[in-house]
Amino acid sequence: MSESSLLAPPVTARRLSPPVSFVAVAAIVVLFLAASSAPSPLYVVYQQQWHFTATTLTVVFAVYVAGLIASLLVLGALSDYVGRRPVLVSAIALEALALVLFITAGNVPMLLLARLLQGVATGAAMTTLGATLVDLNPPHAPGRAGLINGIAPTSGLALGALGAGALVQYAPAPTHLVWLLLLAGMVLAAAVVALMPETSSRRPGGVASLAPRLGVPERLRKDFYALVPILLASWSLGGLYLSLGPSVAAGIFKLDNHLIGGLVVTLLCGTGALTVFALRAVPVAVMLRTGAALLAVGTAVTLTGILSGAVVFGVVGTVLAGVGFGASAGASFGTLARISGPEERGELFAVAYTVAYLAFSVPAVIAGFAATSAGLRTTAIVYSLAVIVFGVAALVVQELRARAA
């Protein structure tokens, strides 16, 4: 019997079984990340309707990440003390409130508030969902939770951007319908969580855990710190695509269809999700080196497209970078799932997501302001060069660890 099953209360007839709960939690991860990427194709619509600048758009992006990182810092370890289900129910309720605000938003301040609440909800949900997947991991498939923790987030980002782009381009009420569909999904998610078994026992220290801190257990630090460069490389690339990807497609490659704007994000994240699944049997060390190399190479090819205006280079480069993005995500979160104990998972995933989202957001916010003053093309070039440097650094670190091993 696994340690996680010893922690969980007995499953009654009114509770979902662990295998069903595992699948349900994976679907909720996809739902949350789909909601987080859905605004990307909508930003252009809001900008046209409310006539705000690229700087304002960057602020909208920034408040989401600020709420998310604050949530990771404050709430990241809470589920290790009070249980997974209370944190998940609260995160879903807050996400539902954010979606209601999106539906009713008629100006920038309302959009900012909706995005801020969505960031807080996503931060609380992602660490708890990641830990819950590990808790529910089937004993006969010890690597499955790490695999799903790599596939589900990238799948959600891809589906959210693609679905929102299609709805904006072809469906009525482009700034309302997508949020109504996501709200219905959150209602269903709440019902599912209410029926799930609890997988983490309560223990003292819940209030104290709310004090903002980032901590990695000493025995895990060497493994964790080795993952930091590849987290920086992969998630900074994701930030470029989710914040500026549709704008680059329209402004540099002259592809102004809203569906194509969503496809830009989907091409990166969807390729990443398929890669995690395809490489699930490949050793983690090989995945990490492959991911780092392809992040650098793919971004370099995409940069060639930006410099030349050739769409084919942009597409090929994005696919190559997407393979690197997926390999990096699968190997990174698979490693975290493998090395952590049940009482460490919430906090460890919080630290990992904090690093990831800082890399995802800080360069993207800087790029958003730079695009207003220096121009979109120059900003995309400099950003791409920075991602290439991160990728090369990650490759060097993984090569050194492989030789040491």
Side-chain angles (χ1 to χ4, degrees):
M1 183 177 292
S2 68
E3 186 175 2
S4 61
S5 63
L6 291 174
L7 290 173
V11 178
T12 69
R14 291 182 295 176
R15 295 291 183 200
L16 298 176
S17 67
V20 173
S21 297
F22 185 89
V23 174
V25 170
I28 295 172
V29 174
V30 173
L31 179 64
F32 263 94
L33 269 297
S36 74
S37 66
S40 291
L42 281 164
Y43 285 147
V44 177
V45 178
Y46 288 128
Q47 201 169 11
Q48 291 172 349
Q49 289 183 354
W50 301 337
H51 308 291
F52 56 78
T53 65
T55 299
T56 301
L57 190 153
T58 302
V59 172
V60 173
F61 177 81
V63 296
Y64 165 77
V65 179
L68 189 147
I69 292 175
S71 179
L72 290 172
L73 292 173
V74 176
L75 304 174
L78 184 60
S79 72
D80 290 337
Y81 297 90
V82 303
R84 311 296 189 207
R85 291 172 67 236
V87 178
L88 287 178
V89 169
S90 300
I92 291 170
L94 188 59
E95 178 75 21
L97 176 59
L99 293 172
V100 170
L101 292 177
F102 276 120
I103 294 168
T104 59
N107 51 48
V108 171
M110 188 71 77
L111 184 63
L112 287 169
L113 179 59
R115 202 68 169 127
L116 175 64
L117 293 181
Q118 188 180 47
V120 174
T122 303
M126 290 310 298
T127 55
T128 308
L129 289 166
T132 306
L133 281 171
V134 181
D135 296 342
L136 293 167
N137 193 90
H140 64 276
R144 185 168 296 174
L147 177 68
I148 298 303
N149 269 317
I151 292 176
T154 50
S155 299
L157 291 172
L159 291 173
L162 180 63
L167 291 172
V168 169
Q169 185 66 35
Y170 301 113
T175 59
H176 294 83
L177 182 57
V178 62
W179 306 121
L180 288 168
L181 294 174
L182 289 169
L183 180 59
M186 286 298 163
V187 172
L188 180 59
V192 169
V193 171
L195 295 174
M196 282 171 42
E198 179 56 74
T199 63
S200 179
S201 58
R202 290 175 176 266
R203 58 192 176 101
V207 175
S209 75
L210 298 177
R213 71 180 189 274
L214 287 177
V216 178
E218 186 174 355
R219 71 180 187 87
L220 304 179
R221 288 176 186 171
K222 187 175 181 180
D223 289 323
F224 179 80
Y225 292 154
L227 295 174
V228 170
I230 203 161
L231 287 171
L232 293 176
S234 57
W235 285 87
S236 62
L237 180 67
L240 170 63
Y241 274 77
L242 265 77
S243 62
L244 294 180
S247 298
V248 170
I252 295 177
F253 294 114
K254 309 304 179 185
L255 304 171
D256 54 4
N257 183 288
H258 293 299
L259 178 58
I260 292 177
L263 278 171
V264 170
V265 178
T266 301
L267 195 60
L268 179 81
C269 298
T271 302
L274 292 173
T275 299
V276 176
F277 181 77
L279 300 183
R280 64 191 182 281
V282 175
V284 168
V286 175
M287 283 183 69
L288 287 171
R289 294 199 300 274
T290 302
L294 287 178
L295 283 169
V297 172
T299 305
V301 174
T302 304
L303 177 58
T304 302
I306 293 172
L307 292 171
S308 65
V311 175
V312 64
F313 284 111
V315 172
V316 173
T318 298
V319 171
L320 290 174
V323 174
F325 185 69
S328 302
S332 299
F333 288 101
T335 300
L336 296 176
R338 176 178 55 82
I339 66 177
S340 60
E343 73 285 352
E344 301 166 326
R345 286 172 190 150
E347 186 170 0
L348 184 63
F349 274 86
V351 177
Y353 277 116
T354 299
V355 173
Y357 276 101
L358 282 172
F360 177 83
S361 61
V362 173
V365 169
I366 295 172
F369 286 110
T372 303
S373 56
L376 181 62
R377 187 172 183 273
T378 300
T379 301
I381 291 170
V382 174
Y383 199 135
S384 298
L385 290 172
V387 171
I388 293 169
V389 170
F390 282 141
V392 171
L395 179 60
V396 170
V397 170
Q398 294 306 319
E399 287 289 348
L400 291 175
R401 276 185 64 81
R403 292 180 183 180

